[in-house]
Amino acid sequence: MSGRGVFFDEDDARAVVAALAAQGFGAHLERDRLAGEDDDEDHPWAVTTDAPDVVLELLVDEHDGWFDADEPGPALPPLVLPMQPKRIKRPDGG
């Protein structure tokens, strides 16, 4: 399973699971325990699925949740920064 959709409303989470199942994707619903939360009723609902991320993202937008990618984005190459300040004036003093 790749991405996760997180919802504070159980009905929204169940609707997303049903929509994914209707499209032929596997989906699993569970409570997502937040650090420091003592009240079990305040924990959000997490939907994990094997659907492409774009499919889940559209459903998350439709049902007021948020998309949580399991994998970090691609690593970017390091920035090449100048070693000296950039000169604004021309070398001939003009």
Side-chain angles (χ1 to χ4, degrees), residues 22-77:
Q23 295 178 37
F25 299 111
H28 177 70
L29 179 65
E30 63 186 10
R31 290 307 286 263
D32 192 19
R33 295 191 59 90
L34 298 176
E37 280 292 331
D38 294 334
D39 188 4
D40 285 341
E41 294 302 314
D42 288 337
H43 296 298
W45 293 89
V47 176
T48 53
T49 180
D50 58 356
D53 287 348
V54 68
V55 173
L56 182 57
E57 284 183 80
L58 290 172
L59 288 168
V60 163
D61 287 343
E62 182 180 331
H63 292 278
D64 296 324
W66 74 86
F67 179 76
D68 184 23
D70 286 342
E71 300 172 9
L76 300 175

